[in-house]
Amino acid sequence: AIPSLVRRPLPASAARLGHLIQTFAKSRYFRSRMVYIRMCDSVIRESPPHIFTDLFLKPLVSLAADPVKNVRVCWATTMLPHVRQTGRLGRNIPLTSVAIRMAKTDSDPEVRRI
């Protein structure tokens, strides 16, 4: 038998990933949520695109609507280079859609300006 080249995450790996997302992306502390955004930036820059979209995208998209302005500013400044047409994720519909929505409708002028 030929071993499969595509590996599914082991249950322990999935649990670790869930813990990472819970600890950072869904934290009650805004600074931890900002750390998650910066972690996603590193994953986008250093890993194959499918790793980011499969594992990290959904929580990141939800942070674009965070109630804390600093988190939204961090999101906009960190993700802007990636969602431009020439960026690594310029064709990622969920990410570009939320970036466009932020630019048009965010309650804070600083976020809209970015």
Side-chain angles (χ1 to χ4, degrees):
I2 299 173
S4 173
L5 297 177
V6 177
R7 294 183 52 174
R8 292 188 176 157
L10 299 173
S13 298
R16 283 188 202 106
L17 181 61
H19 179 70
L20 179 119
I21 289 170
Q22 192 66 36
T23 300
F24 292 99
K26 297 180 181 182
S27 174
R28 63 184 217 173
Y29 302 106
F30 80 95
R31 291 183 195 271
S32 295
R33 296 191 304 271
M34 291 170 62
V35 167
Y36 183 80
I37 293 167
R38 292 183 187 112
M39 285 191 308
C40 287
D41 180 47
S42 294
V43 171
I44 292 166
R45 292 176 190 277
E46 304 297 333
S47 69
H50 71 87
I51 298 292
F52 168 74
T53 55
D54 292 350
L55 303 175
F56 295 92
L57 176 65
K58 189 175 179 181
L60 179 66
V61 168
S62 68
L63 288 175
D66 196 272
V68 177
K69 171 192 163 184
N70 289 354
V71 175
R72 296 191 317 273
V73 168
C74 178
W75 195 101
T77 57
T78 306
M79 291 298 116
L80 183 62
H82 302 299
V83 298
R84 290 187 173 147
Q85 280 187 327
T86 58
R88 289 193 78 177
L89 299 170
R91 293 190 176 148
N92 184 294
I93 303 293
L95 213 52
T96 54
S97 296
V98 77
I100 291 168
R101 188 174 337 117
M102 281 179 81
K104 291 180 179 178
T105 63
D106 195 89
S107 61
D108 190 86
E110 186 178 356
V111 174
R112 289 193 311 268
R113 181 183 51 80
I114 296 169

